[in-house]
Amino acid sequence: MNDLALASPSPALWFKTLRRTGLREQCLKTFPLECVDLLKRSRVAFKAGRTLKESFRLAQLEALVRMLQDNESDFVDALARDLHKPRYETVLAELIFVKNEAFYAINNVKKWMQHQHVERNLTTSLDECVVVSEPLGVVFIRGAWCNPVQMCLVPLVGAIAAGNCAIISPSHITSHTAECLHRLFPFYLDNECFHVILGGTNELLEVMKLKFDHIFFTGNREEGTKVAQAAASSLTPVTLVLSGKNPCYVDQNCEVKTAAQRIAWARFHNAGQSMVAPDYILCHEDVKEHLVQALKGCLMHFYGPDPRESSSYGRMVNSEIFNRTRDLLCKSGKVSVGGQVNEAEMYIAPTVLTEVAENDPIMQQDVYGPVLPILSVNNIDEAISFINKQEKPLCVYAYSNNKKVISKLMAETSSGSFCSNDSVLQSLMVALPFGGVGASGTGSYHGRHSFDTFSHKKSCLLRSTRFECITRLRYPPYEDRNLSLVTLASTLSQKSQGWCQIL
């Protein structure tokens, strides 16, 4: 049992105590010390080879699954308290998603750990050329608050499968979920290799200046920039999965009712607090009114005449996110659906905005709330031009029955991921890499891609000392005749990968 983990207070009590006693500055000095201790312990365990065996990795992955299965009700309760999240969403989008990642890794980790043989040329035809996946060491994983279980534990699956030790930092914003992870980890995962720490952004920026072997961060762009800067001081490599304004194009040739259902589910589940939901819609003026009415009908079906009374609809995570979302709603476009707010409950109704201008506040900032702006475009080319004027998003969505429209949008825009005629699902596929590009992040994860993110690909050439009569051609004194022979032996053909493929 990890005595330090058991002795630590809950996040909610921790921050409450800081506010009451004014000890925040003192805590800022002591908090990194806790992480230094955990980092040292993890480093010792890693150097001792504790994580290297396949059996250890499988045992830890299986323990992670048991933790989720044994404590499902605790996670459901924690997320209900943090986000008013329905049990259905917690089980489906948080717990099952993580378990699927873990099962996929359990079924494939033996294959992933095997050496990868690569092609040879004439010079190395009798040698062995392999790529060895070796663990990086001790990695740091910071999860986002919008999906606090999923965004901590899915990267952890990859870190475990790759043979690393890990320190996990759940977001302090979802304090009950963070406390749940902090409490349960010591009972299931190896106490020397895997740890959960609690702290806010400022404290963690200090921690990230420590020498980890990799930092995996999920969050907004502002914090991601600070993380990258902090990591740069120790030359620590980072994976950044950052938010962005995800466009959704709705073509004139599409099933509007179906599109509305899928867009409404993606935008308004978890009360719109999602990094991968459609952020705004681009559509032709002829489609807009039909789409607005279809969205209105979907919301009535999903949540009833008053979503505030629905057990399937969540709340804003805190007053800061509530106030920010409400201000964006009030200062942008025209409310066509929803718009009701209740500050006491941190409730914002599912809202559709029309008459939105490109320079409205809601189009200038990322939206973590249940607000969906709709903008008019005249055609697919105008939509593509609009998308390409913005920073590269995490996701691009397109709804159309015309395959040429889908292909054009996919080919002529750049984003972390792309999905046609649905939303969000591409981010849940275990076999597909997920991550950002440009301003929406760097690196990717899920399935084998998580294993690769937390591995170093070591190139290995295994030679013998035989055939020195051939090798000596590269030694001085240099002769043109020898150069011709060496060039012939070491150069690949343009038309093929070389004769060496048949060896």
Side-chain angles (χ1 to χ4, degrees), residues 264-328:
W265 170 79
R267 176 67 270 180
F268 300 116
H269 85 277
N270 200 30
Q273 296 165 114
S274 170
M275 296 176 64
V276 294
D279 202 87
Y280 62 94
I281 290 176
L282 299 171
C283 67
H284 194 277
E285 193 69 35
D286 293 345
V287 177
K288 183 191 297 183
E289 185 58 33
H290 189 189
L291 180 61
V292 169
Q293 292 305 313
L295 288 168
K296 185 176 181 179
C298 291
L299 294 175
M300 174 69 73
H301 179 71
F302 289 174
Y303 308 116
D306 186 1
R308 184 181 168 191
E309 302 296 326
S310 172
S311 61
S312 299
Y313 188 69
R315 298 293 186 271
M316 298 291 94
V317 68
N318 60 24
S319 57
E320 180 183 351
I321 302 297
F322 170 85
N323 292 331
R324 181 176 173 275
T325 305
R326 178 187 58 187
D327 291 345
L328 291 174

Side-chain angles (χ1 to χ4, degrees), residues 17-88:
T17 302
L18 290 179
R19 289 194 296 269
R20 185 174 66 248
T21 62
L23 295 178
R24 180 173 176 81
E25 291 303 318
Q26 180 180 343
C27 186
L28 281 171
K29 296 177 182 178
T30 60
F31 176 79
L33 296 179
E34 176 186 352
C35 193
V36 169
D37 176 65
L38 296 178
L39 179 57
K40 287 180 179 178
R41 288 169 53 186
S42 298
R43 189 76 70 194
V44 169
F46 179 77
K47 289 184 177 179
R50 193 163 181 150
T51 64
L52 296 183
K53 291 183 179 179
E54 177 192 347
S55 58
F56 176 87
R57 304 183 196 189
L58 291 174
Q60 296 303 299
L61 291 170
E62 290 165 356
L64 186 64
V65 172
R66 285 198 307 274
M67 182 182 77
L68 298 176
Q69 291 173 337
D70 295 348
N71 302 279
E72 178 180 306
S73 60
D74 287 2
F75 285 109
V76 169
D77 178 67
L79 283 157
R81 297 170 72 184
D82 284 331
L83 289 158
H84 198 74
K85 199 165 192 172
R87 179 179 181 277
Y88 191 97

Side-chain angles (χ1 to χ4, degrees), residues 89-366:
E89 290 184 5
T90 294
V91 171
L92 189 64
E94 302 274 3
L95 306 184
I96 290 180
F97 186 21
V98 176
K99 285 190 282 188
N100 284 346
E101 283 279 346
F103 288 137
Y104 190 79
I106 289 168
N107 293 336
N108 289 281
V109 69
K110 181 176 182 178
K111 178 176 65 177
W112 296 343
M113 291 174 64
Q114 292 174 355
H115 297 175
Q116 296 174 288
H117 291 262
V118 299
E119 63 192 47
R120 297 165 289 178
N121 60 25
L122 182 59
T123 305
T124 59
S125 61
L126 300 177
D127 304 319
E128 189 175 4
C129 301
V130 297
V131 177
V132 176
S133 296
E134 61 179 25
L136 297 174
V138 183
V139 303
F140 185 89
I141 298 171
R142 171 66 167 181
W145 57 266
C146 49
N147 289 104
V149 175
Q150 175 204 131
M151 291 181 175
C152 278
L153 299 190
V154 170
L156 177 63
V157 167
I160 293 173
N164 298 278
C165 293
I167 295 178
I168 313 301
S169 172
S171 174
H172 65 285
I173 294 176
T174 44
S175 60
H176 297 96
T177 305
E179 182 180 15
C180 190
L181 290 168
H182 186 256
R183 172 171 54 84
L184 294 174
F185 254 56
F187 291 99
Y188 290 89
L189 297 178
D190 186 282
N191 288 185
E192 297 303 314
C193 299
F194 306 106
H195 310 279
V196 175
I197 61 170
L198 307 173
T201 302
N202 292 332
E203 294 91 335
L204 289 170
L205 288 175
E206 292 300 313
V207 168
M208 289 178 186
K209 293 178 182 178
L210 301 175
K211 183 57 180 174
F212 289 95
D213 296 292
H214 194 89
I215 290 174
F216 190 105
F217 174 84
T218 307
N220 63 48
R221 294 178 184 178
E222 181 181 357
E223 290 181 350
T225 300
K226 293 178 181 178
V227 167
Q229 291 171 343
S233 65
S234 58
L235 297 179
T236 302
V238 297
T239 297
L240 301 174
V241 182
L242 308 178
S243 57
K245 298 196 69 63
N246 305 319
C248 177
Y249 175 69
V250 179
D251 191 38
Q252 289 173 284
N253 180 12
C254 82
E255 301 294 334
V256 173
K257 183 177 179 180
T258 299
Q261 289 184 143
R262 297 181 180 186
I263 293 169
W265 170 79
R267 176 67 270 180
F268 300 116
H269 85 277
N270 200 30
Q273 296 165 114
S274 170
M275 296 176 64
V276 294
D279 202 87
Y280 62 94
I281 290 176
L282 299 171
C283 67
H284 194 277
E285 193 69 35
D286 293 345
V287 177
K288 183 191 297 183
E289 185 58 33
H290 189 189
L291 180 61
V292 169
Q293 292 305 313
L295 288 168
K296 185 176 181 179
C298 291
L299 294 175
M300 174 69 73
H301 179 71
F302 289 174
Y303 308 116
D306 186 1
R308 184 181 168 191
E309 302 296 326
S310 172
S311 61
S312 299
Y313 188 69
R315 298 293 186 271
M316 298 291 94
V317 68
N318 60 24
S319 57
E320 180 183 351
I321 302 297
F322 170 85
N323 292 331
R324 181 176 173 275
T325 305
R326 178 187 58 187
D327 291 345
L328 291 174
L329 185 161
C330 295
K331 297 176 182 178
S332 306
K334 171 188 173 183
V335 174
S336 293
V337 179
Q340 299 84 6
V341 299
N342 184 298
E343 185 172 1
E345 295 183 16
M346 289 189 288
Y347 165 81
I348 297 178
T351 300
V352 177
L353 297 179
T354 55
E355 300 182 17
V356 177
E358 184 177 353
N359 59 356
D360 279 352
I362 202 164
M363 295 303 298
Q364 305 305 311
Q365 300 181 43
D366 296 339

